[in-house]
Amino acid sequence: MGLIPKLPVAEWIDTATEWTTDTFEFLFDFIKEDFGDFIEIVAEDWLMGIPIWLFIIVVGVLAFFVSGKKLGLTAFAVIGLWFIANQELWEELMNTFTLVIFASLISVIIGVPFGIWMAKSKMAEKILTPVLDFMQTMPAFVYLIPAVAFFSIGMVPGVFASVIFATPPTVRFTNLGIRQVSHELIEASDAFGTTGAQKLFKVQLPMAKKTIMAGINQTVMLALSMVVIASMIGAKGLGQTVITGLQRAEVGTGFVAGLGIVILAIIIDRFTQNLNTQRGD
């Protein structure tokens, strides 16, 4: 086109992906096999081993106390989970729940330290801000490509893609929360001769906890929003049932599975919001 030839960007990316896959094949195979087996054990052996009625009761009791002994969330959680079980989607729910939990935990484990680093270093903030912008604006479907290239298909690439998509809010909110801690508190802690670690763990993180929890809430919701997309590369769960309904033009099947995702999303969202309110108070 014109005087400037087409840059072979796609070829460069393909070459880099092939090199990464070949060089770190041992690591990807280890994660795919061992971590994948562990996910299946959690979903199929541990969670599916719990009687449905007991799981619903435990969630209901937790909802009652987390919501400040209010019946609204408790009733919704019990009725919603009963509905999913009634529609014979319990196994799919457990697989979806497992994917969300693992993706969220990994995202938080990665996101909080990077958020602290951003809050402590202006250079880190300048470097990571465009990276986070890129991660949040890139279409979620694109993350499926490297996930499949590195880990083939299944739950592991689904978790991998969800982690990339869901990590930025935790990083940003951790950075924001620490930076919002008042200078008076920082000066007071300095006056008492606190070390950097003491200041971080005893002053800044406790004061920023409410903001960080809001970021974690967003991370969990984004991980849950990846459920249907991740099912396109073999991740088990409610998203797979939605895709099946789409492929077979079975509106009812897809709608019921989608309703199950909504119920799970509302329960998790209300749990994290109420935990944040209690910790903030």
Side-chain angles (χ1 to χ4, degrees), residues 159-181:
V159 172
F160 175 82
S162 300
V163 167
I164 298 176
F165 186 65
T167 299
T170 298
V171 180
R172 291 187 187 277
F173 277 74
T174 301
N175 173 37
L176 178 64
I178 293 175
R179 288 184 180 275
Q180 285 182 336
V181 176

Side-chain angles (χ1 to χ4, degrees), residues 80-243:
L81 293 176
W82 172 84
F83 172 78
I84 294 173
N86 176 261
Q87 296 300 304
E88 299 181 351
L89 292 172
W90 192 257
E91 182 176 355
E92 289 80 359
L93 174 68
M94 292 298 102
N95 281 308
T96 297
F97 182 63
T98 303
L99 187 151
V100 172
I101 291 299
F102 274 102
S104 301
L105 283 175
I106 296 171
S107 297
V108 171
I109 291 171
I110 294 172
V112 172
F114 274 96
I116 294 172
W117 186 32
M118 285 183 68
K120 295 292 184 179
S121 170
K122 291 184 178 180
M123 180 61 69
E125 186 177 31
K126 290 180 181 179
I127 294 172
L128 291 178
T129 297
V131 174
L132 295 174
D133 292 340
F134 178 84
M135 292 170 66
Q136 289 188 290
T137 53
M138 178 68 71
F141 283 94
V142 177
Y143 295 131
L144 303 183
I145 302 171
V148 171
F150 297 151
F151 303 107
S152 185
I153 61 174
M155 289 288 279
V156 173
V159 172
F160 175 82
S162 300
V163 167
I164 298 176
F165 186 65
T167 299
T170 298
V171 180
R172 291 187 187 277
F173 277 74
T174 301
N175 173 37
L176 178 64
I178 293 175
R179 288 184 180 275
Q180 285 182 336
V181 176
S182 66
H183 293 291
E184 289 78 7
L185 283 174
I186 301 299
E187 291 173 358
S189 64
D190 290 335
F192 281 101
T194 57
T195 63
Q198 289 174 331
K199 187 193 306 180
L200 175 64
F201 289 105
K202 294 185 178 182
V203 179
Q204 292 174 310
L205 286 179
M207 295 301 298
K209 187 180 293 183
K210 191 170 184 178
T211 304
I212 295 173
M213 283 297 295
I216 292 174
N217 174 267
Q218 293 299 309
T219 288
V220 174
M221 290 298 100
L222 286 176
L224 190 53
S225 72
M226 281 290 289
V227 165
V228 177
I229 297 175
S231 68
M232 298 179 69
I233 54 175
K236 299 177 182 179
L238 292 167
Q240 202 169 53
T241 307
V242 173
I243 295 296

